């Protein structure tokens, strides 16, 4: 498609957008009486209007039924989480029995590492990406230490090449091959939070298995953003938070995937709790743990229903739309944003650089922009003028034109504000 940097062209794209009506299903913060241009759906998704109803339903059931809500609420609480299995499994490409919701992301990755990181004297190393999200780094270090191992000798980071912003697939595969028989686990962020790079999950998973390791994925920036086929790709386990692209609300429950091939292995070590116990016998309060077959067997506690309620509202919205439609718009609106950035770059002599891969198959709903020249003052200008983005040290803003609620006109308007901001800074 040939793009134009005009308001009329952007409005034409909006008029043709099959998802355009979903924008009004979300609540936007206001700036001078208008919706902000929201680029941080990769950090905290906007609130779907319907979410409040789902929360109110739980509050009302709690008020009216109290303890009886566990079994007699409109959506009973004791198996509330099972309502996620169908819609969520479609979002991540799994069988319904392979997904569950519980806890929060880092907690779930810790629990999954208990099951799938079982170091031996000879096979004990973990491969992750260089500059992984800090929580993941702390998790790796503390897990390794809990096994009495030294993080320096155990954690192998895949490096970027000198002068490059992204990690090459060939370097991931070479690292896996070189660690070889010592490799116990590969655990990488499916979409890098900083650069927006999308990893080839299928190929990397295959390579990890060939080396004899387990392969898990942190899908914080992938769930609800990219096409996933976790079952088919034979991924051992994965987890994601729900408050980024999945719009569930701050700090809300995480989702987990555990491949079916592990469901029958009752000897797999895990940290257990009563919500993972045989569903038919859970309330018999028996002493011996008998895990549910499936991802629900990793449940520990009874669930935070108030946190699940807005997540369920959002998951049902995703289910109504389907990932394919979202991804089709995602690619066009991201390409349009990229085009706008290049156009503005030509109009004003600026020095920003898009560090996200330009190849559409290696990126999704995020462009990370290195502000070599204008830096922090430009970020401040954007924020003051109704563009919500975020700042990452040393000099990067991340722009996520989330297809569910961002419009093409937002991209055009953003370009104009960006241009004014650069010119204002140059004049100072
Ligand atoms: C957002 C994010 C997290 C956040 O973890 P929480 O446990 O939800 O606080 C972890 N890992 C990655 C890669 C993230 O992007």
């Amino acid at each position: 498609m040939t793009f134009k940097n005009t308001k009329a062209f952007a409005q034409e794209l909006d008029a043709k957008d099959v998802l355009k009506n979903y924008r009004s299903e979300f609540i936007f913060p206001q700036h001078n009486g208008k919706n902000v241009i929201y680029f941080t759906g990769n950090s905290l998704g906007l609130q779907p209007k319907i979410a409040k109803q789902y929360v109110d339903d739980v509050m009302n059931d709690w008020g009216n039924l109290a303890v009886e809500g566990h079994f007699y609420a409109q959506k009973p609480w004791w198996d509330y989480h099972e309502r996620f299995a169908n819609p969520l499994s479609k979002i991540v490409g799994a069988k319904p029995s392979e997904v569950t919701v519980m806890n929060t992301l880092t907690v779930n990755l810790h629990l999954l590492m208990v099951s799938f990181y079982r170091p031996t004297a000879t096979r004990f190393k973990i491969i992750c990406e260089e500059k992984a999200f800090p929580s993941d780094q702390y998790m790796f270090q503390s897990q390794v230490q809990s096994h009495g191992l030294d993080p320096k000798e155990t954690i192998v980071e895949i490096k970027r090449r000198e002068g490059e912003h992204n990690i090459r697939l060939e370097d991931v595969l070479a690292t896996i091959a070189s660690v070889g028989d010592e490799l116990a686990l590969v655990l990488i962020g499916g979409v890098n939070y900083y650069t927006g790079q999308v990893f080839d999950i299928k190929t990397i998973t295959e390579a990890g298995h060939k080396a004899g390791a387990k392969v898990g994925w942190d899908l914080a920036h992938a769930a609800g953003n990219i096409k996933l086929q976790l079952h088919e790709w034979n991924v051992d386990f994965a987890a994601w938070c729900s408050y980024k692209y999945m719009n569930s609300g701050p700090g809300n429950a995480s989702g987990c995937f555990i491949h079916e091939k592990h469901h029958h292995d009752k000897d797999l070590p895990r940290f257990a709790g009563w919500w993972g116990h045989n569903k038919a016998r859970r309330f018999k309060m028996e002493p011996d743990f008998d895990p549910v077959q499936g991802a629900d067997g990793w449940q520990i506690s009874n669930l935070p229903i108030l946190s699940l309620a807005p997540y369920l509202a959002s998951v049902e919205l995703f289910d109504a739309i389907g990932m394919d439609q979202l991804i089709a718009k995602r690619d066009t609106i991201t390409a349009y944003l990229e085009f706008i950035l290049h156009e503005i770059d030509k109009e004003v002599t600026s020095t920003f650089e898009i560090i996200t891969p330009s190849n559409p198959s290696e990126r999704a709903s995020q462009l990370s922009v290195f502000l070599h020249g204008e830096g922090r003052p430009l970020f401040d200008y954007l924020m003051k003028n109704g563009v919500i983005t975020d700042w990452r040290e040393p000099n990067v803003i991340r722009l996520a034109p989330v297809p569910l609620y961002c419009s093409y006109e937002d991209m055009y308007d953003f370009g104009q504000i960006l241009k004014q901001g650069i010119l204002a800074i140059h004049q100072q």
Side-chain angles (χ1 to χ4, degrees):
M1 195 187 303
T2 329
F3 291 133
K4 287 187 212 149
N5 184 21
T6 66
K7 193 148 184 113
F9 181 80
Q11 286 171 340
E12 229 173 88
L13 287 179
D14 281 325
K16 281 187 270 179
D17 174 12
V18 294
L19 300 181
K20 61 173 178 279
N21 292 333
Y22 285 102
R23 183 175 169 87
S24 60
E25 311 257 334
F26 288 84
I27 302 174
F28 283 75
Q30 300 293 298
H31 177 262
N32 292 344
K34 277 173 57 188
N35 288 348
V36 296
I37 299 170
Y38 197 70
F39 277 131
T40 42
N42 57 349
S43 182
L44 183 73
L46 290 181
Q47 181 183 138
K49 288 180 181 164
I50 185 85
K52 200 171 171 52
Q53 188 58 52
Y54 279 58
V55 175
D56 283 349
D57 287 348
V58 177
M59 293 301 282
N60 291 337
D61 284 336
W62 175 25
N64 294 328
L65 299 168
V67 73
E68 300 226 274
H70 282 299
F71 295 104
Y72 302 112
Q74 276 179 45
K75 298 180 183 119
W77 306 329
W78 82 283
D79 62 356
Y80 196 97
H81 62 284
E82 293 182 12
R83 293 168 188 274
F84 287 81
N86 265 311
L88 202 50
S89 68
K90 285 186 248 165
I91 295 169
V92 299
K95 296 189 172 182
S97 65
E98 290 175 317
V99 296
T100 195
V101 290
M102 57 185 191
N103 313 308
T104 43
L105 173 56
T106 310
V107 172
N108 283 338
L109 288 173
H110 269 300
L111 294 174
L112 292 165
M113 281 188 76
V114 166
S115 293
F116 296 105
Y117 175 58
R118 307 303 305 171
T120 67
T122 54
R123 191 183 276 285
F124 58 95
K125 290 192 177 172
I126 298 173
I127 287 182
C128 64
E129 81 270 39
E130 180 188 40
K131 291 199 200 142
F133 192 83
S135 197
D136 298 33
Q137 296 185 42
Y138 309 149
M139 171 183 72
F140 291 134
Q141 290 159 15
S142 58
Q143 282 274 339
V144 161
Q145 282 162 342
S146 81
H147 287 284
L149 296 166
D150 177 358
K152 278 203 207 70
E153 286 162 19
T154 309
I155 303 168
V156 181
E157 294 186 346
I158 308 158
K159 306 270 185 221
R160 289 166 181 80
R161 294 192 189 185
E162 190 72 32
E164 295 187 7
H165 293 296
N166 295 291
I167 292 173
R168 296 192 190 190
L169 176 63
E170 61 198 280
D171 293 345
V172 179
L173 301 180
T175 308
I176 291 173
S178 76
V179 178
D181 291 344
E182 290 182 338
L183 184 60
L185 176 69
V186 179
L187 179 44
I188 300 176
V191 177
N192 184 269
Y193 81 99
Y194 189 83
T195 61
Q197 178 183 16
V198 175
F199 286 94
D200 183 341
I201 296 178
K202 177 172 186 268
T203 304
I204 295 169
T205 301
E206 239 169 56
H209 286 158
K210 220 166 120 202
K214 295 283 192 296
V215 184
W217 291 89
D218 178 338
L219 300 179
H221 282 259
N225 180 23
I226 67 171
K227 179 91 179 165
L228 293 165
Q229 290 176 278
L230 299 180
H231 176 83
E232 233 177 276
W233 295 341
N234 208 13
V235 165
D236 290 292
F237 68 92
W240 53 93
C241 46
S242 58
Y243 49 79
K244 293 176 178 168
Y245 291 98
M246 309 263 329
N247 313 315
S248 76
N252 267 349
S254 153
C256 291
F257 165 89
I258 296 142
H259 199 282
E260 185 178 52
K261 66 188 174 184
H262 300 300
H263 293 184
H264 303 283
D265 185 358
K266 291 198 176 185
D267 297 327
L268 209 56
R270 73 182 93 190
F271 286 168
W274 71 322
W275 234 249
H277 186 73
N278 182 335
K279 209 171 123 176
R281 309 184 64 81
R282 184 176 300 149
F283 298 105
K284 298 201 186 297
M285 306 303 203
E286 299 160 327
D288 294 321
F289 181 64
D290 174 23
V292 177
Q293 256 184 36
D296 283 349
W298 272 261
Q299 292 272 345
I300 295 182
S301 294
N302 83 98
L303 285 136
I305 304 299
L306 284 169
S307 148
L308 294 191
Y311 189 7
L312 184 60
S314 174
V315 160
E316 289 179 355
L317 201 59
F318 270 82
D319 198 38
I321 300 168
M323 286 307 295
D324 290 340
Q325 286 202 84
L326 276 177
I327 287 168
K329 177 174 172 190
R330 179 201 73 190
D331 287 345
T332 313
I333 198 168
T334 307
Y336 189 53
L337 174 61
E338 183 184 39
F339 165 81
I340 297 275
L341 284 166
H342 288 315
E343 287 300 297
I344 300 304
D345 200 18
K346 278 189 242 159
E347 289 177 25
V348 293
T349 345
S350 174
T351 46
F352 57 76
E353 175 193 5
I354 302 174
I355 61 172
T356 305
S358 55
N359 176 357
S361 73
E362 280 183 81
R363 71 179 189 201
S365 191
Q366 177 177 325
L367 295 179
S368 299
V369 183
F370 221 108
L371 302 180
H372 290 293
E374 292 77 14
R376 184 91 196 187
L378 181 55
F379 167 76
D380 293 337
Y381 182 92
L382 294 172
M383 293 294 282
K384 262 194 237 122
N385 286 278
V387 177
I388 310 294
T389 169
D390 69 7
W391 176 260
R392 286 289 174 268
E393 295 297 334
N395 220 351
V396 164
I397 56 169
R398 303 184 302 167
L399 308 170
V402 171
L404 196 46
Y405 46 70
C406 290
S407 69
Y408 292 94
E409 195 173 346
D410 283 345
M411 302 306 118
Y412 171 79
D413 290 344
F414 162 68
Q416 296 305 303
I417 297 170
L418 179 70
K419 182 170 145 184
Q420 287 152 16
I422 292 169
L423 292 176
I425 290 162
H426 286 182
Q427 273 167 14
Q428 276 168 15

